[in-house]
Amino acid sequence: MKYLAEFRDGELVQKLLTEIRQTVTRPWAMMEVCGGQTHSIIRNGIDQLLPPEIELIHGPGCPVCVTPLETIDRALAIAAQPNVIFCSFGDMLRVPGSHKDLFTIKSEGGDIRIIYSPLDALKIARENPTREVVFFGIGFETTAPANAQVVFQARRQGVRNFSMLVSHVLVPPAIEALMSSPTNRVQAFLAAGHVCSVMGYWQYEPLAARYHVPIVVTGFEPLDVLSGIHRTIVQLESGRAEVENAYSRAVQRQGNIPAQQILNEVFEVCDRQWRGIGMIPQSGWALNEKYQEFDAATRFHVDDLHTQESALCHSGEVLQGLIKPNQCPAFGKECTPRKPLGATMVSSEGACAAYYNYGRFIALESIPG
Amino acid sequence: MCLGVPGQIKEIYEESGARMGKVNFGGIVKEVCLEYVPEAQVGDYTIVHVGFAITRLDEQSALETLKMFQDMGVLDEELNPTAEADPGLHDNAR
Ligand code: SF4
């Protein structure tokens, strides 16, 4: 497949690794923001091929992992209602809520449909005019244009039995929160390539300057990831802190303008809770006034939500890069992808699941449970 | 769920007022919304995420990047032919 095989070429991987080894002179810690990159890094063993000076800290960029528990519980309550068809991306179904997950609701008779594209949810709504069709609209900036488009289309086509439970999150405020945390160890960022395909990377320029932190836009294939790491190391070693684009075949500085126009049409920036992390100001998107009627959170009144996280789960520390998944005492024991205690064990982009699926069972040291 | 997959646009058409198309992902053909790549033509490569094309892949740029990787270290080797060319897998004790 064009553009896939080429960017997985083993010989070029070795070349880039050599180049990185020759550049690095002292320890550096960098964070790959995106769970898709965590997945690629662990699957391809990139973390084990790098020189020991380079530590990759896995970031919070997995939407499944950071969707707040309160929103999961709300989704469960809505999905359990008799007249509702609840549509979701597949990996949300196993995410643990306070007491259940969507799979449980489905086995108890809830009409839950796994969809590939948000447009499928709109189609289901048109085909079932007497039912309420609710779409679980989660994601980072990459997914937002798809979710925004479907609400835009629902309004334009007058599909009134459609609504969206929105939990959108944004990368730049998360970087800001990480950098201003007193426990921060991150010295550079690999910015998520596809988030930047949509939003561009001009937003990161003030962050790089303010925190003196290199930010390199990075793709997902082994060569892309290594190229991002290489450029980051070159900057760190020379004391520079700039925004660079190591994924130029898919990202331009200004991003995707038609997508941004729809995002502006449908969404407005809001404060957002991140599961395991807490509230980050101005870090999410919600439907704006014009599209309020499509907001499932207001259409379905769900009160009495008493959220309760697993006492064993350390996913908050994992998401903030404070521990590696295999340092969690429950990892691979009480917690596995089949029976996840935390959302980071669910999606293949969650750091815990990536470590589990690719056999990273041996931790340097475990933290006290 | 956040992965974007590259594929080649095979067909472009309109449906319910939206620009749609068929995209081939290494043999699997899927329907994709092309609203966000208004400039894309049949034959172009695009990155698709949850059924939406989010960017056109710039072929020129892909080739340049690959060439840059290929050229890496070439100068070192020419100037200093005894330098380690391929140290093999790095023994990483972590
Ligand atoms: S291994 Fe399981 S319990 Fe531990 S942090 Fe990850 S998701 Fe939570």
Side-chain angles (χ1 to χ4, degrees):
Chain A
M1 175 80 201
K2 211 170 177 184
Y3 297 125
L4 277 182
E6 291 90 334
F7 283 89
R8 292 174 182 172
D9 183 285
E11 240 169 79
L12 292 182
V13 163
Q14 286 304 332
K15 264 193 169 177
L16 262 166
L17 279 168
T18 307
E19 199 73 22
I20 291 170
R21 280 187 208 115
Q22 288 170 350
T23 312
V24 72
T25 65
R26 58 204 144 117
W28 297 111
M30 62 180 77
M31 175 178 274
E32 84 276 4
V33 174
C34 170
Q37 284 162 344
T38 304
H39 181 87
S40 170
I41 286 165
I42 304 300
R43 186 174 77 168
N44 296 298
I46 290 173
D47 55 331
Q48 295 172 328
L49 293 170
L50 289 171
E53 290 89 344
I54 302 175
E55 183 191 356
L56 294 173
I57 299 179
H58 314 309
C62 159
V64 176
C65 305
V66 299
T67 300
L69 183 55
E70 206 249 329
T71 307
I72 304 285
D73 285 350
R74 192 173 293 275
L76 296 171
I78 294 173
Q81 298 195 10
N83 196 34
V84 165
I85 301 177
F86 194 86
C87 302
S88 171
F89 297 126
D91 32 9
M92 291 307 282
L93 267 69
R94 237 180 251 290
V95 174
S98 293
H99 307 290
K100 295 179 177 179
D101 59 20
L102 283 167
F103 262 122
T104 316
I105 304 286
K106 191 171 161 70
S107 68
E108 292 170 355
D111 193 347
I112 296 176
R113 315 238 179 130
I114 296 176
I115 55 168
Y116 159 70
S117 161
L119 285 177
D120 299 339
L122 190 60
K123 193 158 163 259
I124 292 170
R126 278 198 308 260
E127 289 165 359
N128 296 275
T130 61
R131 309 275 303 272
E132 277 292 331
V133 175
V134 182
F135 168 57
F136 202 174
I138 63 146
F140 276 89
E141 293 96 324
T142 321
T143 320
N147 294 354
Q149 180 70 223
V150 78
V151 179
F152 177 75
Q153 294 285 345
R155 185 171 184 274
R156 206 177 49 94
Q157 299 173 18
V159 187
R160 304 265 170 242
N161 62 327
F162 173 86
S163 61
M164 181 157 91
L165 184 60
V166 190
S167 188
H168 264 288
V169 277
L170 304 170
V171 171
I175 290 190
E176 195 147 8
L178 282 161
M179 287 312 291
S180 35
S181 155
T183 51
N184 174 55
R185 297 192 298 124
V186 179
Q187 295 166 294
F189 288 94
L190 306 178
H194 293 153
V195 164
C196 297
S197 294
V198 173
M199 300 304 292
Y201 54 84
W202 56 270
Q203 286 181 309
Y204 297 91
E205 289 160 2
L207 291 174
R210 183 164 349 127
Y211 297 103
H212 197 76
V213 64
I215 302 178
V216 177
V217 179
T218 302
F220 298 84
E221 297 306 326
L223 281 175
D224 293 319
V225 175
L226 285 171
S227 165
I229 293 172
H230 174 241
R231 293 222 204 173
T232 307
I233 290 293
V234 170
Q235 283 204 47
L236 285 167
E237 289 282 343
S238 63
R240 282 189 293 126
E242 292 159 17
V243 177
E244 265 185 77
N245 183 5
Y247 194 35
S248 57
R249 70 184 181 284
V251 175
Q252 292 175 320
R253 184 175 180 275
Q254 79 277 11
N256 185 326
I257 300 293
Q260 291 167 24
Q261 279 164 351
I262 293 283
L263 291 169
N264 287 332
E265 159 77 18
V266 172
F267 289 137
E268 66 188 12
V269 173
C270 64
D271 294 344
R272 175 79 68 209
Q273 292 281 342
W274 294 51
R275 191 172 192 172
I277 298 178
M279 206 275 286
I280 303 178
Q282 305 284 291
S283 68
W285 271 324
L287 293 173
N288 65 24
E289 180 119 28
K290 187 167 164 193
Y291 290 86
Q292 258 324 298
E293 58 170 312
F294 295 98
D295 191 346
T298 47
R299 190 176 295 192
F300 299 88
H301 293 285
V302 183
D303 301 322
D304 282 345
L305 291 177
H306 301 289
T307 58
Q308 195 190 348
E309 280 286 8
S310 155
L312 292 175
C313 179
H314 288 267
S315 64
E317 288 141 87
V318 171
L319 286 165
Q320 294 171 70
L322 301 176
I323 63 167
K324 295 278 188 282
N326 50 18
Q327 288 175 275
C328 166
F331 175 82
K333 300 191 188 93
E334 293 91 343
C335 180
T336 64
R338 290 185 65 105
K339 241 188 140 299
L341 292 180
T344 41
M345 189 53 100
V346 175
S347 150
S348 64
E349 289 134 64
C352 297
Y355 271 58
Y356 188 91
N357 291 333
Y358 298 107
R360 300 297 170 77
F361 293 108
I362 299 153
L364 251 192
E365 73 234 68
S366 191
I367 54 161
Chain B
M1 62 149 287
C2 225
L3 295 180
V5 187
Q8 191 179 30
I9 301 175
K10 289 290 171 201
E11 212 185 307
I12 298 175
Y13 49 91
E14 222 192 86
E15 201 183 280
S16 329
R19 183 174 149 95
M20 303 293 290
K22 294 262 191 262
V23 174
N24 183 351
F25 304 93
I28 300 165
V29 177
K30 281 201 169 218
E31 180 167 68
V32 164
C33 178
L34 301 176
E35 275 289 312
Y36 300 132
V37 286
E39 76 292 357
Q41 309 280 323
V42 169
D44 283 351
Y45 281 79
T46 173
I47 289 190
V48 176
H49 172 65
V50 297
F52 284 72
I54 51 169
T55 185
R56 211 169 62 89
L57 272 179
D58 180 4
E59 188 148 9
Q60 186 62 33
S61 173
L63 296 175
E64 278 167 21
T65 308
L66 287 167
K67 171 111 179 34
M68 187 180 77
F69 296 153
Q70 263 143 15
D71 291 347
M72 262 184 183
V74 169
L75 203 61
D76 291 355
E77 278 165 42
E78 272 174 22
L79 295 177
N80 190 6
T82 52
E84 53 168 3
D86 181 6
L89 295 193
H90 198 87
D91 190 20
N92 186 333
R94 273 187 305 155

